[in-house]
Amino acid sequence: MSYSFSIITPAYNSASYIKKAIDSIVNCNYDKSKLEYIIIDDGSTDNTFEVIKPYLEKYQWIKYIKKTNGNWGSVINYAISNKLVHNDYVLICDSDDVVLPNAFSEVNKKCHNADMVYGSFYLWNGKKIKIYCSPFLWFFRRNIIKNNKKIFSPINIPITTYIKKEIFYQAKPLIEKKPYQDTILYNNFFLNSKTARLIKKPIGWYWKWRDGNTMTQTKVNSPILIEVCENLIKTQSHDVVFHYILGCKTLRKYLKAKNISFQFKNKLSLKWFPLAIRWIAWILYFLIVRKYLFPLKSQH
């Protein structure tokens, strides 16, 4: 069986870099009759459309929609409320990211009808520097409570996370005109999924250090991230390690302001470390990791 894929690209003033994202999808090694590509222009004021126009004239499976500006979350809300996706799996490819040539083939081969599929990826600076990252390395894991059990969720990078259409349409509405809505969205996807699979092979490039990128510009203790922390607490009835997702300083500032005390749930087991270096791991755990990276539980 060959699965079909719907790709959504939110675009806003992306004229200088969106061509790389589109080319990566157009040139992928997969049957184009199984692809549906939807570019949603979030009210761009530059010549983003002029860059996209030649592709629309050449490829019937690429669609372009322009809406009023409302930030990233509004694009996803628009796609869901208007039932824009029709294929088996949904991929959100931001306009500054790149899908690797064999990505769809890898997902098709290894998804086994899972609700979510996570792929490894490269962090890159838009030029030559790229760093391999697995979404399930121990220091990338997210700790989430699901069905009263503690489970690990891999890091959520849109460019390498594929969601079943049914799960996509179950997502709660995102807050418009606010950044960092992908954190809330992908945790919501994970909680609604019964099965998830991991692909170790890199299937995308995540452009994190771009000038103008929200992740690059926003400081970890900014009021914007404090607000996102509050939204995470209000919208999700589980313990998410959002202090790692959004920054330790952000969480500490928020908790202090709200007079909320937290404690650790449990200690880390390092039995899987080789015995010869286990003592080093314990030192790092007590000095660094235990304080910052492991799950917290409210005293309230």
Side-chain angles (χ1 to χ4, degrees):
M1 175 181 178
S2 293
Y3 292 96
S4 57
F5 299 91
S6 294
I7 306 102
I8 298 174
T9 290
Y12 176 72
N13 289 349
S14 310
S16 63
Y17 47 82
I18 194 172
K19 189 176 186 302
K20 287 184 178 180
I22 300 174
D23 283 342
S24 71
I25 294 168
V26 167
N27 297 324
C28 71
N29 300 325
Y30 202 71
D31 182 356
K32 302 305 187 294
S33 68
K34 297 284 186 178
L35 298 181
E36 172 187 53
Y37 188 19
I38 307 159
I39 303 172
I40 303 178
D41 189 333
D42 191 37
S44 293
T45 56
D46 66 354
N47 63 327
T48 293
F49 176 72
E50 297 305 317
V51 177
I52 299 170
K53 185 177 178 181
Y55 296 96
L56 301 176
E57 295 171 348
K58 187 174 181 179
Y59 304 104
Q60 293 185 349
W61 52 278
I62 300 180
K63 303 174 184 178
Y64 172 83
I65 298 170
K66 186 164 185 175
K67 57 179 283 300
T68 55
N69 180 257
N71 215 314
W72 193 92
S74 73
V75 172
I76 307 307
N77 290 343
Y78 185 92
I80 292 174
S81 62
N82 289 281
K83 302 291 182 182
L84 295 183
V85 301
H86 306 94
N87 291 346
D88 299 319
Y89 283 91
V90 181
L91 171 69
I92 300 174
C93 173
D94 287 337
S95 56
D96 55 357
D97 291 333
V98 169
V99 175
L100 289 178
N102 294 322
F104 298 113
S105 298
E106 286 291 316
V107 175
N108 180 70
K109 181 171 61 177
K110 298 179 180 179
C111 71
H112 298 286
N113 205 38
D115 290 336
M116 292 189 72
V117 182
Y118 295 88
S120 299
F121 57 95
Y122 291 114
L123 287 177
W124 72 307
N125 67 345
K127 297 178 182 178
K128 295 181 179 180
I129 298 175
K130 62 178 183 178
I131 303 170
Y132 169 80
C133 297
S134 166
F136 217 65
L137 290 175
W138 70 273
F139 49 85
F140 277 141
R141 290 179 178 181
R142 302 331 194 199
N143 196 355
I144 292 179
I145 300 299
K146 182 176 180 180
N147 299 329
N148 296 319
K149 293 182 179 180
K150 184 177 68 176
I151 56 176
F152 288 114
S153 163
I155 189 171
N156 297 313
I157 298 296
I159 187 59
T160 56
T161 306
Y162 291 70
I163 309 101
K164 250 193 174 176
K165 176 180 64 177
E166 294 79 8
I167 303 299
F168 180 77
Y169 280 129
Q170 290 176 22
K172 297 178 182 178
L174 300 174
I175 301 173
E176 303 194 0
K177 297 186 181 297
K178 298 292 182 181
Y180 287 93
Q181 293 304 299
D182 55 337
T183 299
I184 296 175
L185 178 68
Y186 281 86
N187 278 314
N188 187 260
F189 286 154
F190 185 81
L191 290 173
N192 288 334
S193 299
K194 293 182 179 179
T195 55
R197 293 187 67 85
L198 170 69
I199 297 176
K200 294 182 179 180
K201 185 176 181 180
I203 56 175
W205 287 22
Y206 171 44
W207 191 355
K208 184 176 181 180
W209 301 292
R210 175 178 60 80
D211 290 339
N213 184 301
T214 303
M215 289 290 289
T216 303
Q217 287 186 329
T218 308
K219 295 181 179 180
V220 295
N221 59 348
S222 70
I224 293 175
L225 295 188
I226 297 295
E227 185 176 354
V228 173
C229 278
E230 188 168 14
N231 289 332
L232 280 170
I233 290 174
K234 288 180 179 179
T235 59
Q236 307 200 43
S237 58
H238 54 84
D239 296 324
V240 181
V241 189
F242 49 82
H243 65 304
Y244 175 69
I245 299 172
L246 301 175
C248 302
K249 290 182 180 178
T250 302
L251 180 68
R252 291 200 301 271
K253 186 175 179 180
Y254 174 80
L255 297 180
K256 184 177 180 181
K258 299 295 181 179
N259 195 28
I260 299 174
S261 60
F262 274 58
Q263 70 176 2
F264 285 95
K265 283 184 175 180
N266 60 347
K267 293 183 178 181
L268 171 68
S269 173
L270 297 176
K271 293 181 180 179
W272 55 278
F273 271 86
L275 185 61
I277 63 170
R278 196 175 298 171
W279 65 273
I280 300 176
W282 275 113
I283 291 174
L284 292 175
Y285 169 60
F286 281 109
L287 294 181
I288 304 172
V289 177
R290 189 176 186 275
K291 183 177 180 181
Y292 293 113
L293 297 184
F294 280 84
L296 301 168
K297 183 178 181 180
S298 177
Q299 295 286 336
H300 287 20

